[in-house]
Amino acid sequence: MENTNQLFHFLYKKTRAMTKVLNEHLQQFGLYSSQWSILYCIKNNGPMTQSEIWRYLVVEAPTVTRTLAKLEESGWIKRTQGSDKRERLVSLTEKAIEQLPLVEKEVKRFEQTMTQHLTKDELTIFYSFLNKLGPITTEKEESI
C-alpha cells in the first residue's frame, strides 16, 4: 500500500468504531472505554500517580484528571496524597475490585467478537505489526 494516509485513516476509523461498540458493552457498568483503560491500567500496574497514568496511556493530563474525577465520584477509584504534596496516588476501591471481574468478562466478550475472524497466528502478527509502529509520544512528553 503506497498511501499510508489511507492506512492510518482506516485504522483510525476502525478504532473509533470499536470504541463506540465497547462503550455500549460498558454502559451496563456505568463506564466508558476511557474510564475502562484507566481501571485496566491501575489493575495491572497497581496504584499509580496521575502523571504516570497519563504518560502510560499517552493521554493529555487534563483529560486524565477529568476522567479520574468521574471515576472517583462513581466510586471506582480513590486518590490519596503521594510522596509529595503535589502528587496524587490513584488506586482501586473495594467496589472496583469486586466489579472488575464482571467488567473484564464483558470486555473479553467484546474482544472475542472483534477478533473472531482472526487466527491465533494472525493475532500474533497483528500485535507484532502494531508494536513495530514508531514510538507514540506527545510533544509535551518528549520535552520532559
Side-chain angles (χ1 to χ4, degrees):
M1 178 179 284
E2 290 182 31
N3 189 347
T4 56
N5 285 343
Q6 186 178 1
L7 171 69
F8 280 91
H9 180 72
F10 184 68
L11 182 60
Y12 176 75
K13 280 178 35 178
K14 279 290 191 183
T15 303
R16 295 284 297 175
M18 287 189 308
T19 299
K20 183 178 183 215
V21 175
L22 179 57
N23 283 338
E24 292 168 6
H25 283 262
L26 293 172
Q27 188 175 24
Q28 64 186 301
F29 303 102
L31 293 171
Y32 290 98
S33 60
S34 57
Q35 295 168 321
W36 161 245
S37 66
I38 290 174
L39 293 172
Y40 180 84
C41 178
I42 298 167
K43 180 188 175 292
N44 289 324
N45 297 307
M48 300 174 74
T49 64
Q50 291 182 196
S51 61
E52 288 172 332
I53 293 169
W54 68 259
R55 283 188 180 102
Y56 179 84
L57 294 174
V58 192
V59 176
E60 295 293 323
T63 303
V64 169
T65 301
R66 282 191 302 272
T67 305
L68 289 173
K70 290 176 185 172
L71 285 169
E72 188 172 38
E73 186 178 299
S74 57
W76 290 93
I77 58 122
K78 57 186 173 188
R79 292 187 277 185
T80 56
Q81 186 72 38
S83 59
D84 72 37
K85 291 180 182 179
R86 295 172 294 163
E87 189 176 76
R88 306 285 311 269
L89 195 61
V90 182
S91 57
L92 299 175
T93 62
E94 286 300 317
K95 171 187 174 176
I97 293 166
E98 291 172 10
Q99 293 290 309
L100 279 179
L102 300 172
V103 177
E104 285 181 302
K105 185 176 180 181
E106 188 63 29
V107 170
K108 283 184 188 198
R109 187 172 11 178
F110 159 77
E111 291 170 350
Q112 287 170 345
T113 301
M114 295 306 301
T115 60
Q116 67 186 344
H117 300 293
L118 299 175
T119 66
K120 287 183 181 181
D121 287 343
E122 287 171 331
L123 280 171
T124 300
I125 292 167
F126 183 55
Y127 185 85
S128 174
F129 286 159
L130 289 176
N131 202 35
K132 286 183 177 183
L133 290 177
I136 300 173
T137 59
T138 63
E139 289 179 27
K140 290 180 182 178
E141 187 176 355
E142 288 176 3
S143 66
I144 294 175

